[in-house]
mmCIF file of all heavy atoms in Angstrom:
data_model
loop_
_atom_site.group_PDB
_atom_site.id
_atom_site.type_symbol
_atom_site.label_atom_id
_atom_site.label_comp_id
_atom_site.label_asym_id
_atom_site.label_seq_id
_atom_site.Cartn_x
_atom_site.Cartn_y
_atom_site.Cartn_z
ATOM 1 N N VAL A 165 20.183 -1.363 -9.732
ATOM 2 C CA VAL A 165 19.602 -1.959 -10.919
ATOM 3 C C VAL A 165 18.721 -0.896 -11.561
ATOM 4 O O VAL A 165 17.883 -0.306 -10.877
ATOM 5 C CB VAL A 165 18.764 -3.208 -10.551
ATOM 6 C CG1 VAL A 165 18.117 -3.804 -11.772
ATOM 7 C CG2 VAL A 165 19.624 -4.221 -9.842
ATOM 8 N N PRO A 166 18.881 -0.617 -12.853
ATOM 9 C CA PRO A 166 18.068 0.425 -13.489
ATOM 10 C C PRO A 166 16.575 0.174 -13.295
ATOM 11 O O PRO A 166 16.074 -0.911 -13.547
ATOM 12 C CB PRO A 166 18.438 0.312 -14.963
ATOM 13 C CG PRO A 166 19.788 -0.301 -14.961
ATOM 14 C CD PRO A 166 19.820 -1.218 -13.778
ATOM 15 N N GLY A 167 15.893 1.196 -12.788
ATOM 16 C CA GLY A 167 14.456 1.095 -12.587
ATOM 17 C C GLY A 167 14.044 0.552 -11.234
ATOM 18 O O GLY A 167 12.911 0.674 -10.831
ATOM 19 N N ASN A 168 14.963 -0.060 -10.520
ATOM 20 C CA ASN A 168 14.622 -0.638 -9.223
ATOM 21 C C ASN A 168 15.816 -0.500 -8.291
ATOM 22 O O ASN A 168 16.560 -1.449 -8.081
ATOM 23 C CB ASN A 168 14.223 -2.105 -9.382
ATOM 24 C CG ASN A 168 13.750 -2.695 -8.080
ATOM 25 O OD1 ASN A 168 13.416 -1.972 -7.158
ATOM 26 N ND2 ASN A 168 13.721 -4.009 -7.996
ATOM 27 N N SER A 169 15.977 0.679 -7.703
ATOM 28 C CA SER A 169 17.158 0.916 -6.878
ATOM 29 C C SER A 169 16.930 0.572 -5.412
ATOM 30 O O SER A 169 17.803 0.792 -4.597
ATOM 31 C CB SER A 169 17.623 2.356 -7.032
ATOM 32 O OG SER A 169 16.582 3.239 -6.720
ATOM 33 N N GLY A 170 15.777 0.068 -5.078
ATOM 34 C CA GLY A 170 15.483 -0.489 -3.763
ATOM 35 C C GLY A 170 15.930 0.308 -2.560
ATOM 36 O O GLY A 170 15.173 1.101 -2.019
ATOM 37 N N ILE A 171 17.149 0.111 -2.122
ATOM 38 C CA ILE A 171 17.642 0.715 -0.890
ATOM 39 C C ILE A 171 17.702 2.234 -1.005
ATOM 40 O O ILE A 171 17.208 2.950 -0.131
ATOM 41 C CB ILE A 171 19.034 0.148 -0.542
ATOM 42 C CG1 ILE A 171 18.915 -1.340 -0.243
ATOM 43 C CG2 ILE A 171 19.642 0.889 0.630
ATOM 44 C CD1 ILE A 171 20.232 -2.038 -0.083
ATOM 45 N N ILE A 172 18.283 2.741 -2.075
ATOM 46 C CA ILE A 172 18.419 4.194 -2.234
ATOM 47 C C ILE A 172 17.049 4.844 -2.381
ATOM 48 O O ILE A 172 16.784 5.892 -1.806
ATOM 49 C CB ILE A 172 19.330 4.519 -3.432
ATOM 50 C CG1 ILE A 172 20.751 4.068 -3.112
ATOM 51 C CG2 ILE A 172 19.290 5.998 -3.753
ATOM 52 C CD1 ILE A 172 21.738 4.268 -4.197
ATOM 53 N N SER A 173 16.164 4.233 -3.127
ATOM 54 C CA SER A 173 14.816 4.762 -3.297
ATOM 55 C C SER A 173 14.089 4.851 -1.960
ATOM 56 O O SER A 173 13.424 5.841 -1.663
ATOM 57 C CB SER A 173 14.033 3.876 -4.264
ATOM 58 O OG SER A 173 12.711 4.314 -4.383
ATOM 59 N N GLY A 174 14.222 3.834 -1.153
ATOM 60 C CA GLY A 174 13.594 3.840 0.168
ATOM 61 C C GLY A 174 14.146 4.935 1.056
ATOM 62 O O GLY A 174 13.402 5.600 1.777
ATOM 63 N N LEU A 175 15.452 5.152 1.004
ATOM 64 C CA LEU A 175 16.072 6.211 1.801
ATOM 65 C C LEU A 175 15.601 7.589 1.342
ATOM 66 O O LEU A 175 15.372 8.479 2.161
ATOM 67 C CB LEU A 175 17.596 6.124 1.715
ATOM 68 C CG LEU A 175 18.237 4.961 2.452
ATOM 69 C CD1 LEU A 175 19.732 4.914 2.169
ATOM 70 C CD2 LEU A 175 17.981 5.066 3.934
ATOM 71 N N GLN A 176 15.468 7.777 0.034
ATOM 72 C CA GLN A 176 15.001 9.060 -0.489
ATOM 73 C C GLN A 176 13.571 9.345 -0.049
ATOM 74 O O GLN A 176 13.250 10.458 0.356
ATOM 75 C CB GLN A 176 15.082 9.073 -2.013
ATOM 76 C CG GLN A 176 16.496 9.134 -2.527
ATOM 77 C CD GLN A 176 16.555 9.031 -4.030
ATOM 78 O OE1 GLN A 176 15.611 8.612 -4.681
ATOM 79 N NE2 GLN A 176 17.687 9.412 -4.584
ATOM 80 N N LYS A 177 12.711 8.345 -0.113
ATOM 81 C CA LYS A 177 11.330 8.530 0.320
ATOM 82 C C LYS A 177 11.263 8.836 1.814
ATOM 83 O O LYS A 177 10.499 9.689 2.249
ATOM 84 C CB LYS A 177 10.505 7.288 -0.010
ATOM 85 C CG LYS A 177 10.213 7.150 -1.475
ATOM 86 C CD LYS A 177 9.398 5.911 -1.750
ATOM 87 C CE LYS A 177 9.190 5.729 -3.235
ATOM 88 N NZ LYS A 177 8.450 4.524 -3.552
ATOM 89 N N TYR A 178 12.080 8.158 2.601
ATOM 90 C CA TYR A 178 12.116 8.414 4.037
ATOM 91 C C TYR A 178 12.585 9.838 4.319
ATOM 92 O O TYR A 178 12.018 10.536 5.151
ATOM 93 C CB TYR A 178 13.036 7.407 4.735
ATOM 94 C CG TYR A 178 13.232 7.712 6.196
ATOM 95 C CD1 TYR A 178 12.226 7.442 7.113
ATOM 96 C CD2 TYR A 178 14.398 8.295 6.645
ATOM 97 C CE1 TYR A 178 12.389 7.739 8.461
ATOM 98 C CE2 TYR A 178 14.574 8.606 7.983
ATOM 99 C CZ TYR A 178 13.572 8.325 8.879
ATOM 100 O OH TYR A 178 13.742 8.636 10.195
ATOM 101 N N TYR A 179 13.620 10.277 3.629
ATOM 102 C CA TYR A 179 14.160 11.628 3.787
ATOM 103 C C TYR A 179 13.092 12.674 3.456
ATOM 104 O O TYR A 179 12.929 13.656 4.178
ATOM 105 C CB TYR A 179 15.373 11.803 2.880
ATOM 106 C CG TYR A 179 15.894 13.210 2.803
ATOM 107 C CD1 TYR A 179 16.644 13.747 3.843
ATOM 108 C CD2 TYR A 179 15.644 14.005 1.694
ATOM 109 C CE1 TYR A 179 17.128 15.038 3.775
ATOM 110 C CE2 TYR A 179 16.127 15.293 1.624
ATOM 111 C CZ TYR A 179 16.871 15.806 2.659
ATOM 112 O OH TYR A 179 17.347 17.087 2.594
ATOM 113 N N CYS A 180 12.353 12.451 2.397
ATOM 114 C CA CYS A 180 11.313 13.386 1.979
ATOM 115 C C CYS A 180 10.176 13.425 3.004
ATOM 116 O O CYS A 180 9.719 14.503 3.389
ATOM 117 C CB CYS A 180 10.791 12.976 0.612
ATOM 118 S SG CYS A 180 9.713 14.182 -0.158
ATOM 119 N N LYS A 181 9.720 12.279 3.450
ATOM 120 C CA LYS A 181 8.637 12.239 4.434
ATOM 121 C C LYS A 181 9.077 12.819 5.767
ATOM 122 O O LYS A 181 8.301 13.440 6.476
ATOM 123 C CB LYS A 181 8.133 10.812 4.603
ATOM 124 C CG LYS A 181 7.364 10.314 3.414
ATOM 125 C CD LYS A 181 6.502 9.144 3.801
ATOM 126 C CE LYS A 181 5.775 8.603 2.595
ATOM 127 N NZ LYS A 181 4.600 9.358 2.277
ATOM 128 N N ARG A 182 10.324 12.634 6.121
ATOM 129 C CA ARG A 182 10.865 13.173 7.369
ATOM 130 C C ARG A 182 10.806 14.695 7.382
ATOM 131 O O ARG A 182 10.637 15.310 8.425
ATOM 132 C CB ARG A 182 12.304 12.684 7.537
ATOM 133 C CG ARG A 182 12.953 13.096 8.798
ATOM 134 C CD ARG A 182 12.495 12.208 9.933
ATOM 135 N NE ARG A 182 13.173 12.642 11.140
ATOM 136 C CZ ARG A 182 12.583 12.748 12.302
ATOM 137 N NH1 ARG A 182 11.339 12.385 12.445
ATOM 138 N NH2 ARG A 182 13.247 13.177 13.352
ATOM 139 N N ARG A 183 10.933 15.304 6.209
ATOM 140 C CA ARG A 183 10.869 16.759 6.091
ATOM 141 C C ARG A 183 9.444 17.232 5.780
ATOM 142 O O ARG A 183 9.248 18.333 5.292
ATOM 143 C CB ARG A 183 11.825 17.235 5.010
ATOM 144 C CG ARG A 183 13.274 16.939 5.367
ATOM 145 C CD ARG A 183 14.235 17.576 4.440
ATOM 146 N NE ARG A 183 14.162 19.023 4.561
ATOM 147 C CZ ARG A 183 14.663 19.862 3.659
ATOM 148 N NH1 ARG A 183 15.273 19.404 2.603
ATOM 149 N NH2 ARG A 183 14.556 21.163 3.834
ATOM 150 N N SER A 184 8.458 16.405 6.054
ATOM 151 C CA SER A 184 7.032 16.706 5.840
ATOM 152 C C SER A 184 6.728 17.021 4.386
ATOM 153 O O SER A 184 6.014 17.966 4.073
ATOM 154 C CB SER A 184 6.602 17.888 6.716
ATOM 155 O OG SER A 184 6.832 17.611 8.060
ATOM 156 N N GLY A 185 7.263 16.219 3.512
ATOM 157 C CA GLY A 185 7.036 16.436 2.087
ATOM 158 C C GLY A 185 6.414 15.234 1.425
ATOM 159 O O GLY A 185 6.083 14.242 2.062
ATOM 160 N N ARG A 186 6.265 15.360 0.117
ATOM 161 C CA ARG A 186 5.776 14.240 -0.685
ATOM 162 C C ARG A 186 6.736 14.047 -1.852
ATOM 163 O O ARG A 186 7.427 14.973 -2.261
ATOM 164 C CB ARG A 186 4.349 14.467 -1.168
ATOM 165 C CG ARG A 186 4.215 15.502 -2.258
ATOM 166 C CD ARG A 186 2.780 15.594 -2.781
ATOM 167 N NE ARG A 186 2.737 16.493 -3.913
ATOM 168 C CZ ARG A 186 2.894 16.114 -5.172
ATOM 169 N NH1 ARG A 186 3.068 14.847 -5.461
ATOM 170 N NH2 ARG A 186 2.868 16.994 -6.154
ATOM 171 N N TYR A 187 6.771 12.874 -2.401
ATOM 172 C CA TYR A 187 7.679 12.471 -3.451
ATOM 173 C C TYR A 187 6.970 12.695 -4.780
ATOM 174 O O TYR A 187 6.042 11.967 -5.113
ATOM 175 C CB TYR A 187 7.994 11.002 -3.212
ATOM 176 C CG TYR A 187 9.278 10.478 -3.767
ATOM 177 C CD1 TYR A 187 10.478 11.085 -3.499
ATOM 178 C CD2 TYR A 187 9.285 9.333 -4.540
ATOM 179 C CE1 TYR A 187 11.651 10.573 -3.986
ATOM 180 C CE2 TYR A 187 10.447 8.806 -5.037
ATOM 181 C CZ TYR A 187 11.636 9.427 -4.757
ATOM 182 O OH TYR A 187 12.792 8.908 -5.249
ATOM 183 N N ALA A 188 7.366 13.720 -5.538
ATOM 184 C CA ALA A 188 6.684 14.076 -6.783
ATOM 185 C C ALA A 188 7.432 13.504 -7.985
ATOM 186 O O ALA A 188 8.657 13.606 -8.070
ATOM 187 C CB ALA A 188 6.590 15.583 -6.907
ATOM 188 N N LEU A 189 6.694 12.933 -8.927
ATOM 189 C CA LEU A 189 7.297 12.320 -10.106
ATOM 190 C C LEU A 189 7.803 13.371 -11.088
ATOM 191 O O LEU A 189 8.948 13.334 -11.518
ATOM 192 C CB LEU A 189 6.288 11.399 -10.784
ATOM 193 C CG LEU A 189 6.756 10.693 -12.050
ATOM 194 C CD1 LEU A 189 7.934 9.800 -11.736
ATOM 195 C CD2 LEU A 189 5.635 9.888 -12.652
ATOM 196 N N ILE A 190 6.968 14.333 -11.434
ATOM 197 C CA ILE A 190 7.338 15.332 -12.451
ATOM 198 C C ILE A 190 7.712 16.662 -11.819
ATOM 199 O O ILE A 190 8.780 17.200 -12.069
ATOM 200 C CB ILE A 190 6.186 15.518 -13.460
ATOM 201 C CG1 ILE A 190 5.936 14.200 -14.195
ATOM 202 C CG2 ILE A 190 6.517 16.623 -14.438
ATOM 203 C CD1 ILE A 190 4.714 14.203 -15.060
ATOM 204 N N GLY A 191 6.837 17.216 -11.007
ATOM 205 C CA GLY A 191 7.123 18.498 -10.389
ATOM 206 C C GLY A 191 6.154 18.780 -9.267
ATOM 207 O O GLY A 191 5.206 18.042 -9.017
ATOM 208 N N CYS A 192 6.410 19.886 -8.590
ATOM 209 C CA CYS A 192 5.572 20.283 -7.466
ATOM 210 C C CYS A 192 4.313 20.991 -7.961
ATOM 211 O O CYS A 192 4.323 21.612 -9.025
ATOM 212 C CB CYS A 192 6.351 21.214 -6.547
ATOM 213 S SG CYS A 192 7.854 20.480 -5.903
ATOM 214 N N LEU A 193 3.266 20.912 -7.176
ATOM 215 C CA LEU A 193 2.033 21.625 -7.489
ATOM 216 C C LEU A 193 2.233 23.118 -7.222
ATOM 217 O O LEU A 193 3.175 23.513 -6.526
ATOM 218 C CB LEU A 193 0.899 21.074 -6.627
ATOM 219 C CG LEU A 193 0.542 19.597 -6.870
ATOM 220 C CD1 LEU A 193 -0.483 19.136 -5.849
ATOM 221 C CD2 LEU A 193 0.037 19.379 -8.277
ATOM 222 N N PRO A 194 1.348 23.992 -7.759
ATOM 223 C CA PRO A 194 1.522 25.437 -7.580
ATOM 224 C C PRO A 194 1.552 25.895 -6.123
ATOM 225 O O PRO A 194 2.210 26.876 -5.806
ATOM 226 C CB PRO A 194 0.320 26.038 -8.302
ATOM 227 C CG PRO A 194 -0.102 25.009 -9.284
ATOM 228 C CD PRO A 194 0.246 23.686 -8.676
ATOM 229 N N ASN A 195 0.844 25.220 -5.244
ATOM 230 C CA ASN A 195 0.820 25.628 -3.834
ATOM 231 C C ASN A 195 1.888 24.918 -3.004
ATOM 232 O O ASN A 195 1.818 24.896 -1.788
ATOM 233 C CB ASN A 195 -0.568 25.396 -3.232
ATOM 234 C CG ASN A 195 -0.947 23.930 -3.220
ATOM 235 O OD1 ASN A 195 -0.357 23.118 -3.917
ATOM 236 N ND2 ASN A 195 -1.937 23.590 -2.424
ATOM 237 N N GLU A 196 2.892 24.328 -3.645
ATOM 238 C CA GLU A 196 3.959 23.615 -2.964
ATOM 239 C C GLU A 196 5.315 24.218 -3.325
ATOM 240 O O GLU A 196 5.473 24.848 -4.369
ATOM 241 C CB GLU A 196 3.975 22.137 -3.364
ATOM 242 C CG GLU A 196 2.757 21.375 -2.925
ATOM 243 C CD GLU A 196 2.783 19.938 -3.377
ATOM 244 O OE1 GLU A 196 3.402 19.639 -4.420
ATOM 245 O OE2 GLU A 196 2.185 19.110 -2.688
ATOM 246 N N GLU A 197 6.272 24.014 -2.426
ATOM 247 C CA GLU A 197 7.642 24.431 -2.696
ATOM 248 C C GLU A 197 8.533 23.202 -2.763
ATOM 249 O O GLU A 197 8.277 22.209 -2.096
ATOM 250 C CB GLU A 197 8.137 25.391 -1.622
ATOM 251 C CG GLU A 197 8.195 24.782 -0.230
ATOM 252 C CD GLU A 197 8.637 25.756 0.838
ATOM 253 O OE1 GLU A 197 9.154 26.828 0.490
ATOM 254 O OE2 GLU A 197 8.459 25.434 2.020
ATOM 255 N N GLN A 198 9.570 23.282 -3.572
ATOM 256 C CA GLN A 198 10.492 22.166 -3.715
ATOM 257 C C GLN A 198 11.505 22.208 -2.577
ATOM 258 O O GLN A 198 12.127 23.240 -2.338
ATOM 259 C CB GLN A 198 11.209 22.251 -5.057
ATOM 260 C CG GLN A 198 12.128 21.100 -5.319
ATOM 261 C CD GLN A 198 12.743 21.166 -6.703
ATOM 262 O OE1 GLN A 198 12.194 21.757 -7.612
ATOM 263 N NE2 GLN A 198 13.898 20.556 -6.850
ATOM 264 N N ILE A 199 11.652 21.099 -1.861
ATOM 265 C CA ILE A 199 12.593 21.053 -0.738
ATOM 266 C C ILE A 199 13.761 20.116 -1.016
ATOM 267 O O ILE A 199 14.667 20.006 -0.212
ATOM 268 C CB ILE A 199 11.890 20.649 0.577
ATOM 269 C CG1 ILE A 199 11.201 19.294 0.441
ATOM 270 C CG2 ILE A 199 10.933 21.718 1.028
ATOM 271 C CD1 ILE A 199 10.661 18.745 1.736
ATOM 272 N N GLY A 200 13.741 19.460 -2.165
ATOM 273 C CA GLY A 200 14.836 18.560 -2.498
ATOM 274 C C GLY A 200 14.672 17.980 -3.879
ATOM 275 O O GLY A 200 13.582 18.014 -4.465
ATOM 276 N N ARG A 201 15.772 17.476 -4.415
ATOM 277 C CA ARG A 201 15.754 16.843 -5.726
ATOM 278 C C ARG A 201 16.689 15.649 -5.670
ATOM 279 O O ARG A 201 17.782 15.735 -5.110
ATOM 280 C CB ARG A 201 16.222 17.806 -6.806
ATOM 281 C CG ARG A 201 16.159 17.238 -8.194
ATOM 282 C CD ARG A 201 16.502 18.296 -9.235
ATOM 283 N NE ARG A 201 16.633 17.677 -10.530
ATOM 284 C CZ ARG A 201 17.745 17.118 -10.990
ATOM 285 N NH1 ARG A 201 18.828 17.125 -10.257
ATOM 286 N NH2 ARG A 201 17.774 16.551 -12.164
ATOM 287 N N PHE A 202 16.265 14.560 -6.259
ATOM 288 C CA PHE A 202 17.048 13.340 -6.225
ATOM 289 C C PHE A 202 17.640 13.083 -7.594
ATOM 290 O O PHE A 202 16.927 12.879 -8.566
ATOM 291 C CB PHE A 202 16.189 12.174 -5.755
ATOM 292 C CG PHE A 202 15.558 12.447 -4.419
ATOM 293 C CD1 PHE A 202 14.214 12.711 -4.304
ATOM 294 C CD2 PHE A 202 16.334 12.472 -3.283
ATOM 295 C CE1 PHE A 202 13.641 12.980 -3.081
ATOM 296 C CE2 PHE A 202 15.777 12.739 -2.050
ATOM 297 C CZ PHE A 202 14.424 12.994 -1.954
ATOM 298 N N ALA A 203 18.965 13.118 -7.682
ATOM 299 C CA ALA A 203 19.678 13.070 -8.959
ATOM 300 C C ALA A 203 19.486 11.752 -9.703
ATOM 301 O O ALA A 203 19.385 11.755 -10.926
ATOM 302 C CB ALA A 203 21.163 13.326 -8.735
ATOM 303 N N LEU A 204 19.446 10.644 -8.996
ATOM 304 C CA LEU A 204 19.367 9.360 -9.680
ATOM 305 C C LEU A 204 18.042 9.168 -10.407
ATOM 306 O O LEU A 204 18.008 8.663 -11.518
ATOM 307 C CB LEU A 204 19.573 8.217 -8.683
ATOM 308 C CG LEU A 204 20.970 8.099 -8.085
ATOM 309 C CD1 LEU A 204 21.002 6.987 -7.058
ATOM 310 C CD2 LEU A 204 21.990 7.846 -9.171
ATOM 311 N N SER A 205 16.960 9.588 -9.803
ATOM 312 C CA SER A 205 15.649 9.354 -10.414
ATOM 313 C C SER A 205 15.063 10.602 -11.049
ATOM 314 O O SER A 205 14.125 10.513 -11.821
ATOM 315 C CB SER A 205 14.674 8.806 -9.368
ATOM 316 O OG SER A 205 14.508 9.751 -8.338
ATOM 317 N N GLY A 206 15.583 11.785 -10.715
ATOM 318 C CA GLY A 206 15.036 13.024 -11.267
ATOM 319 C C GLY A 206 13.763 13.461 -10.574
ATOM 320 O O GLY A 206 13.142 14.436 -10.968
ATOM 321 N N ARG A 207 13.353 12.767 -9.534
ATOM 322 C CA ARG A 207 12.139 13.137 -8.804
ATOM 323 C C ARG A 207 12.415 14.274 -7.844
ATOM 324 O O ARG A 207 13.558 14.572 -7.530
ATOM 325 C CB ARG A 207 11.590 11.936 -8.055
ATOM 326 C CG ARG A 207 11.110 10.861 -8.986
ATOM 327 C CD ARG A 207 10.508 9.727 -8.233
ATOM 328 N NE ARG A 207 10.041 8.709 -9.158
ATOM 329 C CZ ARG A 207 9.051 7.906 -8.898
ATOM 330 N NH1 ARG A 207 8.441 7.957 -7.751
ATOM 331 N NH2 ARG A 207 8.678 7.006 -9.787
ATOM 332 N N LYS A 208 11.337 14.893 -7.382
ATOM 333 C CA LYS A 208 11.460 16.023 -6.488
ATOM 334 C C LYS A 208 10.703 15.777 -5.198
ATOM 335 O O LYS A 208 9.720 15.056 -5.192
ATOM 336 C CB LYS A 208 10.926 17.275 -7.172
ATOM 337 C CG LYS A 208 11.734 17.655 -8.403
ATOM 338 C CD LYS A 208 11.040 18.725 -9.202
ATOM 339 C CE LYS A 208 11.840 19.083 -10.416
ATOM 340 N NZ LYS A 208 11.956 18.036 -11.386
ATOM 341 N N SER A 209 11.157 16.404 -4.146
ATOM 342 C CA SER A 209 10.479 16.344 -2.859
ATOM 343 C C SER A 209 9.805 17.709 -2.649
ATOM 344 O O SER A 209 10.476 18.741 -2.731
ATOM 345 C CB SER A 209 11.499 16.064 -1.754
ATOM 346 O OG SER A 209 10.846 15.967 -0.527
ATOM 347 N N CYS A 210 8.511 17.697 -2.418
ATOM 348 C CA CYS A 210 7.742 18.939 -2.305
ATOM 349 C C CYS A 210 6.956 18.957 -0.992
ATOM 350 O O CYS A 210 6.567 17.920 -0.477
ATOM 351 C CB CYS A 210 6.743 19.046 -3.447
ATOM 352 S SG CYS A 210 7.465 18.841 -5.076
ATOM 353 N N ARG A 211 6.695 20.177 -0.494
ATOM 354 C CA ARG A 211 5.811 20.337 0.650
ATOM 355 C C ARG A 211 5.033 21.623 0.484
ATOM 356 O O ARG A 211 5.416 22.499 -0.287
ATOM 357 C CB ARG A 211 6.580 20.326 1.961
ATOM 358 C CG ARG A 211 7.393 21.547 2.213
ATOM 359 C CD ARG A 211 8.000 21.537 3.586
ATOM 360 N NE ARG A 211 9.002 22.599 3.658
ATOM 361 C CZ ARG A 211 10.027 22.601 4.467
ATOM 362 N NH1 ARG A 211 10.209 21.588 5.289
ATOM 363 N NH2 ARG A 211 10.870 23.584 4.475
ATOM 364 N N LYS A 212 3.914 21.733 1.201
ATOM 365 C CA LYS A 212 3.056 22.905 1.094
ATOM 366 C C LYS A 212 3.799 24.157 1.566
ATOM 367 O O LYS A 212 4.576 24.106 2.517
ATOM 368 C CB LYS A 212 1.795 22.732 1.923
ATOM 369 C CG LYS A 212 0.914 21.637 1.363
ATOM 370 C CD LYS A 212 -0.463 21.717 1.918
ATOM 371 C CE LYS A 212 -1.232 20.563 1.281
ATOM 372 N NZ LYS A 212 -2.594 20.840 1.099
#
């Protein structure tokens, strides 16, 4: 459902946290590196 993908969103957040990252809305902070990108939402997974 547009805006509320429930299951997939939860899996993406779990995947990001499993890799010791955080789920970034726009982009990573300067002291972080991008470790993943989620095509459906355009969000990024970042870690220090």
Side-chain angles (χ1 to χ4, degrees):
V165 178
N168 185 18
S169 56
I171 295 172
I172 293 178
S173 176
L175 288 174
Q176 289 175 343
K177 287 180 184 178
Y178 174 75
Y179 171 77
C180 190
K181 289 200 182 279
R182 183 79 179 138
R183 296 189 66 196
S184 302
R186 73 175 186 91
Y187 204 53
L189 179 61
I190 298 172
C192 301
L193 297 174
N195 63 343
E196 295 178 332
E197 63 182 346
Q198 183 176 335
I199 58 172
R201 183 174 171 274
F202 304 107
L204 292 176
S205 62
R207 294 183 179 208
K208 296 169 180 66
S209 182
C210 307
R211 72 174 168 206
K212 293 196 180 211

